[in-house]
Amino acid sequence: MTSLELLAPARDLACGIAAIDHGADAVYIGAPQFGARAAAGNTVDDIRQLTEYANLFRARVYVTLNTIIYDHELPSVRLMMEQLVEVGIDAILVQDMALIGMAREVMAQKGRVVELHASTQTDNRTAERVEWLQERGFHRVVLARELGVGEIQEIHRKVPGMALEAFVHGALCVSFSGVCYASQYCFSRSANRGECAQFCRLMFDLVDADGRRIDRPRHWLSLRDMCRVSHLEEMARAGVTSFKIEGRLKDVAYVKNVVAAYSRELNKVVAASEGRFCRSSLGRVEYSFQPHLQKTFNRGFTGYFIHPGDDDIASPDTPKALGEFVGKVKEIRHHSFNVATTASFANGDGLCFFGDDKQLYGFRINRAEGNRIYPQHLPPQLRPGMGLYRNADAVFDKVLAKPSAVRKIPLLLALSVTGNHLVLTASVVGTALVTTVRCEVEYQEARVPQDGNMRTQLSKLGTTIYEAQEINIHPSVKNLFVPSSLLAGLRRQLVESLDRAIQQQLSEPSSLNPSALEPSSLESSMSEPSVSGSGGVSSELTTSEDKAPVMPQAYASYGYLYNVANELARKVYADDGMSSVKMAFELGNTHADDGGAPLLMQCRHCLRKLLGYCSRKTSQRPKWHEPLFLVLPDQRRFRLQFDCRQCQMNIYAE
């Protein structure tokens, strides 16, 4: 049976607890520093509290240390890693290869195994890359968002021993993660250091080689948000075991709603699998609301290449949240208007619409009377026939502001007698976890059957994380008189025993090889060449030297794509045969190895395709002359290259 994990973001402790309460099997949270969202750091003590809470449900906590690290920062990272291992986290997500050896040393020192997960920032888009990471000692890789079901399945086939994590929901980077340098180039804010300035959400002109504008200024690189809630089963069958929700800057309401929606859907996948799949954590959740993905922040949704031909991915008219479509403006009268809709509205709702100028405008509802809306200020751009979207639902937000879920671990309880002992056994529903407690009892016959009182006393689990789904009283016990105080004591013993049993399961040795804890094993493993499971390197891949990891072609010309920012990381690649590895873009290595213009992005999103001129779909030739350029209002230009063989768009600085 394969365990499936719903992995939720935690901006802070409150978001992490909310994620667990609403059905997450694991959460990922930022370390105090060096996470890929610099604004989402957390104290070690908060991470400890989250870990303790998650462990109650056999859920796991992963900490992000997934930026590139400079040499002078390595001692601070080492100290932080020691503290994190001590508080009981389950895994560390990393990008910088220097942390492989450091993590092994810390684990050996602390005597505790913590999994290493390769962040999506390590550009995990090929089986060869995944295999190389496996050989370095990683337990799991977070796959590139751009991969579809077929590509995931092929990676799983070639590297079956590697756990695969894939994004299923949330905001999208237009570039392959880890190889975007636009923010650093334009604003001196490195995405690889957790400080992305969201260059891809800006408005650009699009002009051709002759300087002619192709279209009006638009947000040409802005994408919709990912939503793969209807694709979980096929992803699981392709080899994904962890389904990741993006959003470490999102609030509690977002976490509650999205986690609840995906947890329900994952439960359906498990129920329909005929025993092939199970959830990796314990507990059953009851919600006081109906999850609705359109009601929390989104730019419109896309499956994002989950299948070939999934091209509806862009949001070029706005990078802002649209929310759910609620109807069209019917008639405007003075300071109000009515809507052709079946939706209901409330005071405080936020609505938005696209004006005649294709710009997005928004307003708040001051008063709603049926389908007649009285805004705080009636936008002058509003016209009859315009579509309306609700990007803030006041009623839904109020529901999520309150306690909105209860998570309990269901038990099958059985009460019996053995010799002169009363025996209470609990089986955790859906697992093999069983625990038993007993107490000595003097047998006294009761005047009337006692099973009703016994059920009442044993079911009083309300203040714990457990609930009695079923209570079986053995016939030999029903006619015994057992004081309620004795039953209550037996129940408390059982709860304590269950807590210990769950903690013991969590502390069992990881699937990582214990020998991997020895720092010396790192050196020996890195002295071996990387062998491709595909029987050879495809024409789209390259190795800089004989022993180098197999990477996409661009790595041969742009050595900074390896994101090596310190000597320890450089040594990892050097020991693998790359003696001439280049240092990171952030350290001033900003051009191609031959001195050419810097490559800033590699994208599966393609503007030629967006404009209807994909060479794979039409023989019609565009009227413009290539190359095309994206131009910012300050006239900075970025050249586009369409690599149709790779189905990829590359963006270069000029």
Side-chain angles (χ1 to χ4, degrees):
M1 185 179 292
T2 301
S3 294
L4 302 182
E5 171 187 277
L6 179 60
L7 177 57
R11 181 180 68 181
D12 51 28
L13 175 60
C15 284
I17 290 175
I20 298 298
D21 285 344
H22 287 72
D25 301 295
V27 295
Y28 62 104
I29 188 169
Q33 292 177 278
F34 309 113
R37 297 291 184 272
N42 293 273
T43 67
V44 172
D45 188 61
D46 278 353
I47 294 171
R48 176 190 59 77
Q49 292 182 58
L50 178 58
T51 300
E52 290 175 352
Y53 187 77
N55 286 352
L56 296 175
F57 299 96
R58 207 173 66 189
R60 295 159 59 104
V61 174
Y62 310 144
V63 175
T64 58
L65 279 171
N66 56 339
T67 63
I68 57 173
I69 312 296
Y70 298 148
D71 279 299
H72 72 276
E73 296 169 331
L74 289 172
S76 297
V77 175
R78 169 67 181 256
L79 178 60
M80 186 182 304
M81 193 178 288
E82 291 175 357
Q83 295 171 336
L84 292 169
V85 171
E86 286 176 353
V87 299
I89 65 168
D90 299 284
I92 300 173
L93 281 85
V94 305
Q95 175 186 190
D96 198 305
M97 294 301 149
L99 302 194
I100 303 174
M102 182 184 294
R104 292 175 187 236
E105 292 173 358
V106 169
M107 286 187 278
Q109 173 189 339
K110 300 297 180 181
R112 184 173 182 272
V113 176
V114 173
E115 292 179 2
L116 278 181
H117 295 180
S119 168
T120 190
Q121 299 295 116
T122 57
D123 193 10
N124 308 318
R125 50 177 138 158
T126 67
E128 291 79 9
R129 176 63 164 174
V130 171
E131 185 175 43
W132 186 84
L133 290 166
Q134 183 184 52
E135 292 170 353
R136 306 284 79 72
F138 283 94
H139 174 268
R140 178 190 293 189
V141 295
V142 187
L143 296 171
R145 290 173 172 88
E146 291 79 2
L147 300 184
V149 168
E151 294 166 301
I152 294 170
Q153 189 171 31
E154 183 67 4
I155 289 174
H156 180 58
R157 184 184 69 81
K158 291 182 176 180
V159 199
M162 177 65 89
L164 301 181
E165 179 180 309
F167 281 94
V168 291
H169 195 89
L172 290 164
C173 300
V174 71
S175 176
F176 282 93
S177 293
V179 291
C180 177
Y181 307 96
S183 180
Q184 172 68 28
Y185 179 82
C186 292
F187 310 112
S188 298
R189 290 175 55 181
S190 168
N192 285 316
R193 297 275 294 169
E195 299 174 340
C196 177
Q198 295 197 314
F199 172 89
C200 58
R201 303 296 180 186
L202 299 178
M203 182 178 285
F204 299 89
D205 266 324
L206 181 62
V207 301
D208 72 358
D210 301 323
R212 293 179 299 180
R213 181 184 285 177
I214 305 299
D215 200 344
R216 61 184 171 83
R218 301 177 80 182
H219 303 272
W220 290 106
L221 299 180
S222 182
L223 300 182
R224 299 185 181 197
D225 287 0
M226 178 186 283
C227 181
R228 291 178 169 177
V229 71
S230 61
H231 300 286
L232 301 185
E233 181 176 2
E234 55 188 317
M235 292 178 71
R237 293 185 180 278
V240 174
T241 55
S242 180
F243 302 86
K244 188 170 193 173
I245 297 168
E246 183 276 339
R248 279 200 300 116
L249 297 179
K250 297 295 196 300
D251 60 16
V252 169
Y254 176 94
V255 170
K256 287 181 174 183
N257 186 33
V258 178
V259 168
Y262 275 84
S263 185
R264 281 185 165 185
E265 199 63 31
L266 201 56
N267 283 342
K268 294 178 185 177
V269 172
V270 169
S273 71
E274 297 181 343
R276 177 175 178 178
F277 301 124
C278 64
R279 295 292 291 270
S280 62
S281 66
L282 303 175
R284 181 170 57 195
V285 184
E286 291 187 4
Y287 304 99
S288 60
F289 71 104
Q290 182 66 32
H292 194 315
L293 292 173
Q294 291 279 5
K295 289 184 179 293
T296 45
F297 185 99
N298 71 87
R299 301 175 178 89
F301 288 132
T302 172
Y304 201 56
F305 306 115
I306 190 69
H307 294 300
D310 186 5
D311 300 332
D312 195 12
I313 66 172
S315 177
D317 292 325
T318 180
K320 299 178 181 178
L322 284 178
E324 58 177 328
F325 179 78
V326 291
K328 291 186 176 182
V329 177
K330 188 174 180 181
E331 172 255 349
I332 300 176
R333 183 195 311 159
H334 302 299
H335 300 294
S336 68
F337 63 94
N338 61 6
V339 184
T341 184
T342 58
S344 58
F345 300 95
N347 301 349
D349 280 357
L351 300 180
C352 59
F353 64 95
F354 286 102
D356 292 332
D357 57 0
K358 308 300 182 183
Q359 298 300 306
L360 189 69
Y361 297 92
F363 59 92
R364 287 278 182 178
I365 295 177
N366 188 50
R367 187 170 84 254
E369 297 178 356
N371 68 339
R372 178 152 290 276
I373 306 300
Y374 295 83
Q376 289 178 334
H377 303 285
L378 186 69
Q381 300 87 355
L382 195 66
R383 303 280 186 273
M386 286 182 170
L388 287 173
Y389 299 84
R390 174 161 48 196
N391 55 12
D393 188 314
V395 173
F396 194 69
D397 291 345
K398 286 179 181 178
V399 170
L400 292 183
K402 302 174 182 177
S404 49
V406 176
R407 183 169 182 169
K408 295 282 188 178
I409 298 175
L411 304 176
L412 300 179
L413 300 182
L415 187 66
S416 61
V417 292
T418 301
N420 62 342
H421 284 85
L422 194 63
V423 180
L424 180 60
T425 299
S427 302
V428 177
V429 175
T431 76
L433 184 60
V434 178
T435 188
T436 299
V437 295
R438 62 188 65 215
C439 67
E440 192 170 350
V441 63
E442 293 184 6
Y443 297 129
Q444 298 181 42
E445 289 291 328
R447 295 179 181 177
V448 295
Q450 295 293 298
D451 55 318
N453 180 60
M454 292 174 181
R455 293 178 192 278
T456 299
Q457 295 301 322
L458 295 178
S459 65
K460 291 181 178 180
L461 296 163
T463 60
T464 73
I465 62 171
Y466 306 102
E467 64 178 1
Q469 177 174 302
E470 183 179 329
I471 302 175
N472 294 316
I473 308 296
H474 193 273
S476 61
V477 184
K478 290 181 180 180
N479 294 319
L480 295 180
F481 173 73
V482 180
S484 295
S485 58
L486 189 149
L487 290 169
L490 201 60
R491 185 189 66 233
R492 285 192 293 270
Q493 289 182 52
L494 185 73
V495 168
E496 294 171 0
S497 179
L498 281 166
D499 288 345
R500 287 194 300 271
I502 292 171
Q503 291 299 315
Q504 183 177 351
Q505 280 195 339
L506 286 166
S507 63
E508 288 175 354
S510 167
S511 57
L512 286 173
N513 186 340
S515 65
L517 294 177
E518 299 301 328
S520 59
S521 69
L522 178 65
E523 298 178 4
S524 61
S525 69
M526 291 189 172
S527 66
E528 298 297 325
S530 176
V531 180
S532 170
S534 63
V537 179
S538 70
S539 59
E540 292 83 6
L541 305 173
T542 185
T543 57
S544 295
E545 298 179 27
D546 289 343
K547 293 183 179 181
V550 183
M551 298 298 288
Q553 184 66 40
Y555 282 70
S557 301
Y558 298 88
Y560 58 75
L561 294 176
Y562 287 97
N563 294 328
V564 172
N566 58 71
E567 282 301 309
L568 287 180
R570 187 198 63 77
K571 188 176 185 301
V572 170
Y573 286 108
D575 288 348
D576 214 35
M578 294 182 62
S579 58
S580 59
V581 64
K582 299 296 188 296
M583 298 303 278
F585 190 95
E586 289 79 359
L587 293 176
N589 181 32
T590 58
H591 289 79
D593 294 352
D594 62 3
L599 172 64
L600 299 183
M601 287 185 176
Q602 294 180 282
C603 315
R604 194 166 272 189
H605 169 53
C606 176
L607 293 187
R608 180 188 277 178
K609 181 186 295 184
L610 180 65
L611 293 168
Y613 292 101
C614 174
S615 63
R616 296 186 176 189
K617 294 186 174 182
T618 180
S619 58
Q620 184 179 359
R621 298 181 63 83
K623 296 179 180 179
W624 65 70
H625 295 147
E626 295 183 4
L628 301 185
F629 297 86
L630 290 170
V631 184
L632 284 170
D634 63 6
Q635 300 307 304
R636 280 182 289 181
R637 291 157 53 95
F638 305 89
R639 177 171 56 87
L640 306 183
Q641 177 201 31
F642 301 107
D643 185 348
C644 297
R645 186 168 63 92
Q646 300 285 336
C647 198
Q648 185 170 293
M649 181 178 74
N650 298 319
I651 302 177
Y652 297 84
E654 280 290 297

